[in-house]
Amino acid sequence: NDNQPFVEEVCINDIINSHSTPFYLYSQKIIKDTFNNLKKNLSGEILYAVKANSNQSILKLLKNCGAGADVVSVGELERCINAGFDSNKIIFEGVGKSEEDIEFAIKQNIKLINVESFDELTLINNIGKKMNKKIKIGIRLNPDIDSHTLEKISTGNKTDKFGIELNQLDKIILQIKSSPNVSLDGISCHIGSQIHNINTFKKVFETMKKTASLILSKKINLKYVDLGGGFGVNYEENQNEFDIKGLGELIKSIFSNEPYEISFEPGRYLVAKAGILITKILTLKQNGGINFLITDAGMQTFLRPAMYHASHKILPFNQIGKKTTYTIAGPICESSDIIIKDIKLPYQTKDNFLIICDVGAYGSVMSSNYN
Ligand code: LLP
């Protein structure tokens, strides 16, 4: 039947018959194709930002495609080790790491630990001394460049908690030089998520190149420059796709014969479009003239609409019947548990299924036990 929804060669109805809703469903092919296309266009290492989706099968798939990993917790690091990632291709960042976290990461012999504060640098040096090791570190810089994205997912303004301000670079290098148990191997940055404008990246790349040159001029053997993630994804139907080819050309024009390796940390771009969420309509009700569809998926399953007012495309299984305006809401005892307001769908009834689209990134990982 042509009207039935498929993911790759699998009919979703067949899965619904054997699994209870709500559930996430992923396409390996989309992830693989997206990774290969990214790899083809960007000259540099791709370190998948595991926070976007740490599903064990997805990690294995990306590892087999040749990705490295960017982790922000010991939990994510353990998942990457279980998925078989080469520890030499894993970096550990995050604005707050405990002593136990850092010790664990050092024992795994990972590529870099990215430092985000002076206190953390002192801590890492002390741990290195205790373990009688020289620890490879990077500095996460805060380039103070506005990503023009949603306030809640912007990270690169100097008033954000992330990274070390550029005007403190000299000071942190001084501290590194007097820390015998660390070696400065890299710098990194990440100014936010969902960035569509190539010019924003241009500013970031130019700043990073300048900073790298400055560090090299101080007789430090800088090996890695990490340019972060944040590549935009289209959630709306008629937006332009992110210009990955343009980004690739930009990188080539800025970094040509530099003595360091370039890397990126994309999360969303690699997995967002590969995931859907299947939900069942539990009940219909009218309050204040609004037609509510109450679904079994809500903010406990998928937080983005409630947290960021993110809008995701909805596809109904039932395509026949008069178009009606609905507000789709989850079952949670919070008024903000709304998936989408005022959407026109063919008439729906209890027990119909809906598909929430493009939920592969920051979907399942942000689900909770609430209620
Ligand atoms: N690197 C660092 C240091 C990051 O903090 C992030 C994301 C990434 C890389 C990957 O960024 P991406 O390529 O995925 O844009 N939960 C929010 C997004 C939070 C992003 C946090 N950091 C959402 O659902 O929109």
Side-chain angles (χ1 to χ4, degrees):
N1 180 332
D2 285 347
N3 289 326
Q4 293 195 359
F6 277 74
V7 168
E8 296 186 23
E9 275 81 51
V10 181
C11 178
I12 301 177
N13 277 320
D14 293 344
I15 304 180
I16 285 176
N17 290 334
S18 57
H19 287 77
S20 55
T21 54
F23 62 87
Y24 283 88
L25 182 61
Y26 301 106
S27 159
Q28 299 198 43
K29 184 174 182 329
I30 294 179
I31 297 176
K32 244 198 246 173
D33 290 352
T34 311
F35 181 87
N36 289 337
N37 186 44
L38 197 65
K39 187 79 196 162
K40 194 178 81 196
N41 282 287
L42 304 191
S43 32
E45 281 285 317
I46 295 175
L47 309 173
Y48 170 55
V50 172
K51 61 173 83 68
N53 192 323
S54 55
N55 177 297
Q56 207 64 50
S57 305
I58 292 179
L59 291 180
K60 276 197 193 122
L61 178 70
L62 282 166
K63 177 240 146 195
N64 288 336
C65 288
D70 158 27
V71 302
V72 290
S73 69
V74 161
E76 286 184 357
L77 178 51
E78 283 177 329
R79 293 178 82 86
C80 286
I81 293 164
N82 290 339
F85 276 88
D86 178 354
S87 57
N88 228 333
K89 282 180 146 189
I90 304 177
I91 62 167
F92 181 25
E93 34 187 16
V95 69
K97 311 177 193 74
S98 72
E99 188 167 342
E100 292 76 19
D101 294 344
I102 293 168
E103 276 187 17
F104 182 82
I106 293 172
K107 285 187 190 141
Q108 307 308 313
N109 267 324
I110 61 170
K111 178 177 174 183
L112 280 181
I113 300 179
N114 279 344
V115 171
E116 293 216 26
S117 69
F118 289 84
D119 281 344
E120 195 173 83
L121 176 56
T122 307
L123 179 62
I124 294 177
N125 187 55
N126 288 342
I127 296 172
K129 199 157 142 195
K130 198 174 76 185
M131 294 171 83
N132 198 17
K133 272 192 160 173
K134 199 157 179 121
I135 318 299
K136 295 174 284 182
I137 61 162
I139 310 174
R140 161 117 183 237
L141 293 165
N142 180 326
D144 193 24
I145 294 169
D146 196 333
S147 55
H148 300 288
T149 185
L150 301 170
E151 188 193 339
K152 281 187 180 154
I153 53 174
S154 167
T155 53
N157 292 316
K158 70 174 176 202
T159 49
D160 292 321
K161 68 178 173 181
F162 299 99
I164 288 178
E165 261 188 88
L166 279 179
N167 65 14
Q168 295 181 0
L169 183 67
D170 285 343
K171 195 171 154 206
I172 195 141
I173 287 179
L174 271 182
Q175 188 179 328
I176 290 171
K177 284 193 162 164
S178 61
S179 306
N181 290 88
V182 299
S183 78
L184 177 60
D185 284 12
I187 52 172
S188 77
C189 71
H190 171 81
I191 66 161
S193 203
Q194 265 304 63
I195 305 170
H196 291 274
N197 189 339
I198 295 278
N199 278 324
T200 305
F201 285 108
K202 185 163 185 261
K203 280 190 219 160
V204 174
F205 297 172
E206 281 168 349
T207 305
M208 290 301 280
K209 183 180 175 182
K210 230 168 83 188
T211 310
S213 305
L214 196 91
I215 294 176
L216 286 165
S217 75
K218 291 179 191 283
K219 304 261 172 302
I220 291 170
N221 181 14
L222 196 71
K223 298 191 186 80
Y224 312 109
V225 172
D226 187 313
L227 300 170
F231 313 153
V233 161
N234 270 341
Y235 290 106
E236 315 284 337
E237 218 134 2
N238 37 23
Q239 277 178 325
N240 291 331
E241 287 294 329
F242 181 72
D243 183 9
I244 216 69
K245 215 169 149 221
L247 190 78
E249 280 158 13
L250 178 71
I251 294 158
K252 281 201 193 97
S253 75
I254 296 180
F255 301 96
S256 45
N257 278 318
E258 270 59 45
Y260 42 78
E261 172 195 299
I262 300 284
S263 59
F264 303 90
E265 306 166 353
R268 185 190 313 268
Y269 188 82
L270 288 172
V271 291
K273 296 264 171 176
I276 57 175
L277 174 58
I278 318 290
T279 181
K280 186 158 90 175
I281 299 172
L282 300 174
T283 182
L284 280 80
K285 63 187 289 185
Q286 262 207 347
N287 270 6
I290 296 169
N291 292 313
F292 282 101
L293 295 180
I294 309 291
T295 51
D296 56 6
M299 66 195 288
Q300 84 285 17
T301 330
F302 184 54
L303 187 59
R304 298 195 77 249
M307 179 130 173
Y308 313 109
H309 298 293
S311 165
H312 285 254
K313 214 165 50 193
I314 308 284
L315 297 176
F317 276 63
N318 176 33
Q319 302 272 5
I320 44 176
K322 185 169 164 267
K323 286 250 168 148
T324 309
T325 302
Y326 293 108
T327 285
I328 304 175
I332 299 298
C333 309
E334 295 270 353
S335 296
S336 57
D337 184 23
I338 302 282
I339 294 169
I340 194 163
K341 281 185 177 166
D342 299 330
I343 179 179
K344 278 203 164 59
L345 296 177
Y347 184 74
Q348 299 296 316
T349 56
K350 175 175 156 55
D351 296 333
N352 282 0
F353 294 99
L354 301 174
I355 299 173
I356 308 175
C357 298
D358 306 330
V359 297
Y362 306 109
S364 156
V365 280
M366 291 177 80
S367 64
S368 73
N369 288 321
Y370 190 34
N371 279 201

